[in-house]
Every structure is written in structure tokens, then in C-alpha cells.
């Protein structure tokens, strides 16, 4: 049977991929998108949605997740669910990430169920895309390892996520594995033995990992047993940035990074704010306690080199993510851009090897870096998955479809 060319296919069905239908719903365009053809393809089986299922608190408040969905849209039933009510209990407070994860999983189920109402829409689970190919007619073919076309579309969004960066040392584990509670026995053994535990990185994940170690095995830890290694100053969330971003203001931070300094007044030429940068909530409180000496079990060390310290009995890498590889080929079968992270511009358009936008191809979520940084703010930063609700990337993409 000949495949119908859909308006859009989205490779991936994690938090970032959800941003596309959610943004379309905010704009009142979801039904049009579905009628014209919208296909989602995900390697996981239905029911295996475990994104963000970590035993920590988010560095985003509960309301940030709720505000992404339109109360008048087609997906408004998500806001009436028990998962949404759990977030509504304290909308201005950082939320347990597992609570947010259940809410996002509910949104994923609602979106998958909504696609079946339309002949041109579908969600393919347990389906692995080997590569995308943009043919001479401008259509995108997603193909499996045998070369069979899975979907055909006029536009495509890559939202395949990323893997945690991990060190090469055999004793290194990722913060993701620790936060998913997959390394409890090893962490407890290290704490009980009194051996050094090295945590690489100064992000929210790093300090959340330290917080979990202290919460679960703090009674076994001796002074200085946990060492946190960072390559730069630790950034603390600026409370004024949220209000400024909501009002469309710009500005720069004053003071030394990591001090929680206030937002300076807007200045000509100042870059737009990235209102979710830096530590806040429990991770910020822990960082401040360590910095002032109130938490003696943890030491802060600066290491300019990426490798950090020599291998210790337990090293936990919280050093960010590495993009999952999805080759994109042209009509001749040649790669459109080098393997690895796909660069995107401020509009979410994927750039080819010469820095030019590939017509109809977009990228969102972890693994996609913008030369202008998050929210167009400057710097080569990955667009974090949950920022589909906070930021404007999904809105910009859907406006171009």
C-alpha cells in the first residue's frame, strides 16, 4: 500500500516531542495538524514511558508543567486528571520529579489516544527509526534498518533525546542511574566503607544526586567523604528572571555567578533571559549549605579539565548529555550534517554541515544546541526537554509547519 505523505512526522515521543502537539493545541491548530497528517514514532513500547522518573525534586515549580497546556484546548482533559491535581496542590513550589513524570506520561497517553481519531494521524510504538532521508522532492522518509519506509512527510521533527555522558573509568556511574535508584547497593556500600564518592558536575542533577546520597545514607558518611567537582562557578537561579521572562523583559545578572545575585535592570543590547538557568529549591539550599560549611560531609572542588579527579571507588558523572544519533541523509544518501549533536537556529530549524537550515527539518529537546542558546540568550546550550512548556521552541516550530 502506498504511504500518504503526512504534514509532519515526529521521531521520538518523550517530553520534548510532546511539545509539538501541546503547542499546536495552545494555538488552536491541533485538529488541523492531525487531519493533514501527524505521525509519531517511538522506539519504546506503549506503557514504557519512564521519562524524568527520578527520585528527586525538579528545579521547576509544579505550575510550570501545568501552564503548558491550554485549559480550553483539545487536551484539556489532562488538566482534569489526578496527575494534574497532584501538581495543583502547590503550584509555586518545586515538585517531586516523579510526580511531574506521571503528569507527562498522562499527557503522552492522551496525545496517543487523540491521534486515533484521525485517518492521517498515528503513533507508532516499538518502532526504531534507523535514519531519515530527504528526497529530491523535499519529502522526508523515516526508514528502519532494512531500508523500509515507516512514514513519509513534508516536515519532520527530531526529538530522540540524549544519553547521559559517562566517564570511561569502570567505576563511573551516571547520575541518572543513581536518581532512578538503580545503584542503591553500590552507593550504600561506598558510604558504609568510608571511601571517597566523587560527583562530577555542578548542575541541578549533581546536587540532587548529592542530596539523595545524604538523605538515604547520610548517617554512614564521614566529613568530606563526598567531593563535588565542577569546571566553573555554580549558577544559582535568579528569582526575578521568571517575572521578567513573563513580561518579555531582557537583562543580565549582576554579581558573581553562584551567589544568587539579583537581576540587573534591562540594558540596551542585553540578551533575553533564560529564566530556568541555575539551581533552585533543595539543590540550591544544599549548595549554599556546602559553600558556607554547614554541610561538612560534602566538599566543593574546582577542576578545569573535563576528566575531573582520578578514578575513585565510586565516581558519579553528572556532566550532561550526549545526543542520540539519528542520521539524516539527502537524496544521494549523503549525511546532511556530521554525526552527533544537531545544531538548530533560533527557530528550531536543523542546520546542515554548512550552517544552513534544512527546509522542513526541526529539532527539539536534549541533544539539539542553538548557537544563540536557550530562549535566544547566547551560548551553545542544549534545549532541555521540559523547556517545551517554559520556552518558545515548540511554538516557533509549530508556527512554521
Amino acid at each position: 500500500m502506498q504511504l500518504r505523505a503526512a504534514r509532519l512526522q515526529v521521531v521520538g515521543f518523550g517530553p520534548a516531542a510532546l511539545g509539538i502537539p501541546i503547542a499546536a493545541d495552545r494555538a488552536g491548530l491541533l485538529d488541523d495538524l492531525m487531519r493533514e497528517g501527524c505521525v509519531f514514532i517511538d522506539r519504546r513500547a506503549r506503557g514504557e514511558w519512564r521519562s524524568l522518573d527520578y527520585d528527586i525534586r525538579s528545579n521547576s515549580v509544579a505550575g510550570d508543567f501545568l501552564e503548558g497546556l491550554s485549559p480550553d484546548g483539545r487536551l484539556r482533559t489532562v488538566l482534569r486528571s489526578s496527575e494534574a491535581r497532584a501538581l495543583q496542590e502547590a503550584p509555586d513550589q518545586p515538585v517531586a520529579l516523579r510526580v511531574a513524570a506521571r503528569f507527562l506520561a498522562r499527557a503522552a497517553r492522551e496525545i496517543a489516544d487523540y491521534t486515533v481519531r484521525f485517518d492521517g494521524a498515528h503513533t507508532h510504538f516499538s518502532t526504531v527509526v534507523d535514519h531519515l532521508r530527504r528526497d529530491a522532492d523535499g519529502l522526508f522518509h523515516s526508514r528502519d534498518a532494512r531500508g523500509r519506509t515507516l512514514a513519509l512527510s513534508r516536515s519532520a521533527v527530531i526529538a530522540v533525546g540524549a544519553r547521559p555522558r559517562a566517564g570511561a573509568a569502570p567505576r563511573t556511574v551516571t547520575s541518572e542511574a543513581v536518581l532512578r535508584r538503580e545503584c542503591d547497593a553500590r552507593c550504600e556500600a561506598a558510604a558504609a566503607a568510608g571511601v571517597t564518592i566523587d560527583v562530577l558536575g555542578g548542575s541541578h542533577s549533581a546536587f540532587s544526586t548529592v542530596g539523595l546520597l545524604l538523605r538515604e545514607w547520610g548517617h554512614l558518611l564521614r566529613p568530606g567523604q563526598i567531593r563535588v567537582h565542577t569546571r566553573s562557578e555554580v549558577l544559582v537561579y535568579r528569582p526575578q528572571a521568571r517575572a521578567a521572562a513573563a513580561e518579555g523583559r531582557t537583562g543580565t545578572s549582576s554579581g558573581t555567578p553562584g551567589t544568587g545575585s539579583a537581576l540587573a535592570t534591562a540594558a540596551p543590547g542585553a540578551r533575553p533571559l533564560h529564566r530556568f538557568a541555575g539551581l533552585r529549591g533543595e539543590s540550591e539550599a544544599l549548595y549554599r549549605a556546602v559553600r558556607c560549611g554547614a554541610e561538612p560531609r560534602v566538599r566543593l572542588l574546582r577542576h578545569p579539565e573535563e576528566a575531573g579527579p582520578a578514578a575513585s571507588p565510586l565516581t558519579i558523572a553528572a556532566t550532561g548529555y550526549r545526543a542520540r544519533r539519528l542520521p539524516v541523509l539527502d537524496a544521494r544518501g549523503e549525511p546532511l550534517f556530521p554525526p552527533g549533536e544537531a545544531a538548530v537556529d533560533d527557530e528550531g530549524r536543523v542546520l546542515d554541515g554548512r550552517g544552513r537550515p534544512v527546509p522542513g527539518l526541526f529539532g527539539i529537546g536534549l541533544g539539539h544546541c542553538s548557537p544563540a542558546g536557550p530562549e535566544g540568550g547566547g551560548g551553545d546550550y542544549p534545549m532541555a526537554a521540559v523547556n517545551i512548556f517554559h520556552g518558545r521552541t515548540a511554538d516557533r516550530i509549530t508556527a512554521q509547519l
Side-chain angles (χ1 to χ4, degrees):
M1 183 178 68
Q2 186 175 5
L3 284 174
R4 168 191 170 187
R7 181 177 178 181
L8 173 70
Q9 63 176 301
V10 182
V11 184
F13 200 56
L18 302 185
I20 302 301
I22 288 172
D25 195 35
R26 285 198 298 265
L29 302 173
L30 183 60
D31 281 3
D32 289 341
L33 179 62
M34 293 295 176
R35 274 192 293 267
E36 293 183 33
C38 183
V39 179
F40 298 93
I41 307 175
D42 196 67
R43 59 189 172 84
R44 297 167 294 188
R46 187 181 180 100
E48 288 185 359
W49 212 93
R50 292 187 63 211
S51 298
L52 305 181
D53 186 19
Y54 306 127
D55 189 14
I56 58 171
R57 286 193 173 274
S58 170
N59 64 344
S60 304
V61 297
D64 292 335
F65 296 93
L66 295 168
E67 72 179 24
L69 284 105
S70 170
D72 302 317
R74 301 298 191 189
L75 303 175
R76 60 185 177 273
T77 53
V78 180
L79 294 174
R80 302 169 185 167
S81 65
S82 59
E83 293 85 353
R85 289 195 295 272
L87 295 175
Q88 292 162 356
E89 292 177 358
D92 296 325
Q93 299 298 318
V95 62
L97 206 49
R98 283 182 165 168
V99 174
R102 288 193 288 270
F103 173 75
L104 293 176
R106 178 60 178 260
R109 291 196 301 272
E110 294 278 349
I111 292 168
D113 291 342
Y114 199 72
T115 62
V116 303
R117 304 183 186 184
F118 301 85
D119 291 338
H122 193 72
T123 304
H124 297 280
F125 292 102
S126 302
T127 304
V128 178
V129 176
D130 182 75
H131 64 274
L132 277 176
R133 179 169 176 143
R134 185 175 186 269
D135 277 356
D137 57 7
L139 295 178
F140 290 92
H141 299 246
S142 55
R143 292 179 173 170
D144 63 15
R146 296 183 180 181
R148 296 175 298 187
T149 297
L150 303 169
L152 183 66
S153 62
R154 299 194 296 274
S155 297
V157 174
I158 302 174
V160 294
R163 296 184 178 90
R165 296 181 186 271
R171 295 172 180 172
T172 300
V173 299
T174 65
S175 59
E176 178 173 291
V178 174
L179 297 175
R180 285 192 186 275
R181 307 303 297 266
E182 297 170 354
C183 302
D184 280 10
R186 187 169 177 182
C187 291
E188 182 176 12
V195 299
T196 299
I197 300 174
D198 284 313
V199 178
L200 311 184
S203 64
H204 174 72
S205 294
F207 282 94
S208 295
T209 298
V210 173
L212 187 149
L213 295 174
L214 293 172
R215 184 178 78 236
E216 296 295 328
W217 304 288
H219 62 290
L220 301 174
L221 294 167
R222 58 177 173 77
Q225 189 172 345
I226 298 176
R227 303 187 304 185
V228 178
H229 303 261
T230 68
R231 287 181 291 158
S232 58
E233 287 286 346
V234 176
L235 297 176
V236 173
Y237 171 72
R238 297 165 294 179
Q240 294 86 351
R242 178 179 173 83
E247 296 171 10
R249 300 205 310 266
T250 59
T252 56
S253 59
S254 61
T256 304
T259 62
S261 54
L263 181 71
T265 56
R271 70 187 192 180
L273 290 165
H274 179 38
R275 60 178 174 150
F276 294 94
L279 307 179
R280 63 171 163 174
E282 292 180 354
S283 60
E284 177 189 351
L286 175 58
Y287 164 69
R288 293 188 184 280
V290 174
R291 187 179 175 114
C292 73
E295 178 45 79
R297 294 167 293 184
V298 184
R299 288 191 293 157
L300 291 177
L301 301 174
R302 285 285 299 277
H303 284 271
E305 69 278 5
E306 185 174 359
S312 62
L314 177 58
T315 300
I316 301 171
T319 50
Y321 293 83
R322 188 181 305 278
R324 295 183 185 276
R325 186 175 182 270
L326 179 65
V328 181
L329 312 178
D330 62 17
R332 298 170 299 176
E334 298 294 328
L336 284 172
F337 52 82
E341 289 186 343
V344 296
D345 64 10
D346 289 343
E347 303 304 315
R349 300 176 297 183
V350 173
L351 306 178
D352 65 16
R354 298 182 181 180
R356 302 170 303 186
V358 178
L361 184 62
F362 305 91
I364 191 170
L366 291 173
H368 293 89
C369 292
S370 169
E375 299 302 293
D380 190 21
Y381 299 110
M383 296 180 179
V386 295
N387 284 350
I388 58 166
F389 301 109
H390 311 150
R392 300 185 294 264
T393 305
D395 294 305
R396 290 168 175 167
I397 292 174
T398 54
Q400 300 171 75
L401 297 176

